[in-house]
Amino acid sequence: YSFEYDRSGDLAKYEDAMAACSTALAVDTLSAAANLAVGRVYEWASETADAKRAYGRILRVDPKNTNARIRTAWVLWEEERPDEAETENRPVIEMKPDYYRGYSVLADLFRMRGRLEDAIHNYKRALEFAPNEFYTLNRLATCYNLQHRSTEALEIWQRAFAIKPECGSCQGIG
């Protein structure tokens, strides 16, 4: 139950995605995969309450579902509830201490709040488990750049764009 989506606002894509997800949920209302897909569609449409309900269905059955926790954290961030977003994401690290996404998402939440040292620490921790994860590298470089640590930023961006050269122009590098 996955789909590719974008935020272009294309209503037909939204309706198609929701129809596919509704069909999947009709077969199994407790399916984690179907509820994750439904939640993502609701996020896409900025319907955060419905997204949280979809993720909540998963967490009621499986409180250790890290994907549902991460998505819930992002929805809480979108609702401008950063403390709750951080609280929702922390168990991901406790449940899966070697899962890079737990650290990367926590770092994102810190970065977006201007807590750059905390963000850098957690991006580095994420990279211990996924050393070639492009987005984590890119965001770490962004933190260094925001701190005017351009040599470190450039080193990390070079690593990132060696992995995904087509994104070199994203930051004006390359």
Side-chain angles (χ1 to χ4, degrees), residues 110-162:
F110 287 142
R111 177 181 49 84
M112 292 184 292
R113 294 170 79 181
R115 294 173 55 186
L116 298 179
E117 284 303 320
D118 291 329
I120 288 169
H121 171 78
N122 281 283
Y123 285 133
K124 286 180 172 180
R125 189 80 172 111
L127 290 168
E128 290 175 22
F129 303 106
N132 295 318
E133 210 289 310
F134 171 80
Y135 296 102
T136 302
L137 287 164
N138 189 33
R139 290 173 181 144
L140 173 60
T142 298
C143 286
Y144 284 140
N145 193 48
L146 289 168
Q147 290 184 323
H148 307 287
R149 294 163 64 180
S150 48
T151 301
E152 291 160 293
L154 186 56
E155 274 179 26
I156 299 298
W157 269 322
Q158 287 172 336
R159 274 181 60 197
F161 298 130

Side-chain angles (χ1 to χ4, degrees), residues 31-128:
S31 164
N35 276 294
L36 276 171
V38 166
R40 292 302 300 262
V41 172
Y42 282 131
E43 282 186 69
W44 179 37
S46 299
E47 296 177 23
T48 59
D50 290 325
K52 280 192 307 194
R53 273 193 288 280
Y55 302 140
R57 283 191 292 272
I58 298 166
L59 293 170
R60 277 191 297 284
V61 173
D62 179 10
K64 293 184 177 187
N65 187 302
T66 55
N67 290 322
R69 286 205 175 275
I70 287 170
R71 295 309 327 153
T72 301
W74 279 118
V75 169
L76 290 166
W77 174 262
E78 290 292 323
E79 292 179 338
E80 298 181 9
R81 296 162 59 190
D83 292 335
E84 291 173 67
E86 184 180 330
T87 298
E88 185 67 36
N89 189 70
R90 285 211 178 266
V92 173
I93 293 169
E94 294 165 13
M95 291 183 282
K96 288 187 174 180
D98 59 350
Y99 183 42
Y100 87 93
R101 287 214 12 129
Y103 298 100
S104 186
V105 169
L106 185 59
D108 288 342
L109 294 170
F110 287 142
R111 177 181 49 84
M112 292 184 292
R113 294 170 79 181
R115 294 173 55 186
L116 298 179
E117 284 303 320
D118 291 329
I120 288 169
H121 171 78
N122 281 283
Y123 285 133
K124 286 180 172 180
R125 189 80 172 111
L127 290 168
E128 290 175 22

